Amino acid sequence: MWRVLETKTASKVLDRAPLDVRQKWTLWLAIVRQSGPVGLHAISGFRDEALTGQWAGFRASRLSLGTRVIYRVHRDVLEVHVVKVTAQHDYRRR
């Protein structure tokens, strides 16, 4: 079983997100808690991918055509840290 931790910013964005994004988030959470990020690869709709550049070491999954969840995996304690939920390809760090 994996633990999923999310930043306050990510929580706020998800709280205000459209219903379809929140539903996909619920599915994303269930998959990650049960199988970890490997489970996301079984569902092509998430288009889970490793990021590069300033986001090297992070991953992104698609929650809708215009929304991504950005996260990092901490394997030593089986945690997934959700750091940002953002518009598609808006990966600027703050």
Side-chain angles (χ1 to χ4, degrees), residues 22-83:
R22 290 190 315 248
Q23 289 173 335
K24 192 102 177 236
W25 169 250
T26 301
L27 177 60
W28 189 94
L29 274 176
I31 291 167
V32 171
R33 285 179 175 151
Q34 182 63 40
S35 306
V38 171
L40 296 171
H41 298 288
I43 300 173
S44 63
F46 285 117
R47 296 187 182 230
D48 189 74
E49 62 185 356
L51 298 177
T52 60
Q54 70 182 24
W55 284 101
F58 289 83
R59 299 191 65 79
S61 291
R62 178 186 286 184
L63 297 181
S64 73
L65 279 176
T67 307
R68 300 287 188 271
V69 58
I70 299 173
Y71 68 97
R72 182 189 332 227
V73 177
H74 292 269
R75 292 186 188 275
D76 56 329
V77 288
L78 299 177
E79 290 182 344
V80 174
H81 293 249
V82 177
V83 294

